Amino acid sequence: MQGSGVRSLMSCLVDVDLAVCDVDDGYAAAIGRARDDVIGCHLPDLIHADDRAAFSERLRALCIDGRGFSTTVRLAGDATRRVWLTHHVSLLQLGSWRRVSMTVAYEDVPPVDDERRVLKRAAERILGKRRLRERYLGSAVVGEPAFDLLLELFVQEAEGRAVYTTSAAVASGAPLTTALRQIAMLVESGLVRRLPDPIDRRRVIVQLTPDGMRTMTDYLAATQRV
């Protein structure tokens, strides 16, 4: 049913090699397979080819730095299929035991235009690579929290999700006080704005301004030509 929004929540568990360890029946049904057939599959193989590389990079970065993320990706299958899964991804660790846990929302959403999806994937790839750079080189070498924040806002807005101040601070990868200063700097520069949540006015939404969206769109488009 088109336009109905989120319909149910499901779960999926994969190992650090991205092989599926366990799924519930709802996730298997969304993929269009029996549950036993999904277990053991390489998770990225179940994702549409257009989204597979960026999704895989973010999963690999998570296994290294433990930083969770959310992303909406299209299922592999018929080119006319209009079903996406939103994965809220985190790393579970107990001693040497590690698994990637995903709470998954099965959604019917309008297809994003091709150019916007290309730019969203570009932003996700940059985020994944920056997480790996930080892991191997250290934040003092590659730490650019304002840029990380702009990338994260672009990705989340492309997927239609609101980003709140605390989430934005976490996305920047900087200590809270530093992150808040970076947000204030971006607001002053005109790239980012703060808006009250229309449902809970105690919370503040952080989003790109029209100028910020144009700037990031132009930048990401330029990266595709390099």
Side-chain angles (χ1 to χ4, degrees):
M1 183 170 62
Q2 293 292 333
S4 61
V6 175
R7 299 194 297 188
S8 61
L9 291 177
M10 301 161 291
S11 62
C12 178
L13 196 69
V14 304
D15 63 23
V16 293
D17 294 320
L18 308 185
V20 177
C21 302
D22 194 17
V23 295
D24 61 16
D25 291 334
Y27 193 88
I31 294 171
R33 298 190 186 185
R35 177 175 174 273
D36 289 344
D37 291 339
V38 176
I39 294 174
C41 288
H42 189 236
L43 179 65
D45 292 342
L46 305 176
I47 304 303
H48 193 279
D50 286 350
D51 296 330
R52 189 174 298 147
F55 186 55
S56 298
E57 285 187 18
R58 297 198 76 179
L59 286 172
R60 284 192 289 268
L62 168 74
C63 292
I64 292 173
D65 66 18
R67 190 175 299 172
F69 66 92
S70 296
T71 187
T72 301
V73 291
R74 185 175 161 189
L75 292 173
D78 193 314
T80 63
R81 198 172 186 189
R82 290 292 182 257
V83 176
W84 282 260
L85 297 181
T86 296
H87 294 71
H88 305 286
V89 189
S90 59
L91 184 66
L92 303 178
Q93 183 162 355
L94 182 61
S96 60
W97 183 90
R98 294 200 306 164
R99 293 291 186 270
V100 177
S101 174
M102 288 173 279
T103 300
V104 184
Y106 178 35
E107 302 183 61
D108 288 322
V109 296
V112 180
D113 65 86
D114 289 343
E115 181 181 7
R116 189 71 176 276
R117 288 184 66 79
V118 167
L119 298 183
K120 181 180 82 72
R121 290 196 300 273
E124 289 183 318
R125 283 195 297 270
I126 293 170
L127 278 170
K129 290 175 181 177
R130 288 175 66 81
R131 299 290 184 257
L132 293 176
R133 284 168 51 194
E134 182 177 331
R135 167 69 177 178
Y136 287 102
L137 300 176
S139 59
V141 177
V142 298
E144 299 174 27
F147 183 57
D148 281 356
L149 176 58
L150 290 171
L151 287 169
E152 188 69 25
L153 289 177
F154 186 92
V155 169
Q156 298 305 323
E157 289 184 33
E159 295 181 349
R161 285 198 291 269
V163 178
Y164 298 97
T165 301
T166 302
S167 299
V170 171
S172 75
L176 180 59
T177 53
T178 301
L180 293 176
R181 285 198 299 270
Q182 295 294 311
I183 293 171
M185 179 270 292
L186 290 171
V187 169
E188 186 175 352
S189 71
L191 295 173
V192 167
R193 61 187 173 190
R194 300 187 187 99
L195 299 171
D197 185 336
I199 298 175
D200 183 353
R201 299 187 72 83
R202 294 170 299 178
R203 300 200 298 177
V204 176
I205 295 171
V206 180
Q207 65 178 208
L208 295 173
T209 62
D211 282 347
M213 180 59 74
R214 278 193 296 272
T215 298
M216 291 303 294
T217 297
D218 291 345
Y219 164 73
L220 292 167
T223 67
Q224 302 303 294
R225 298 190 293 269
V226 174

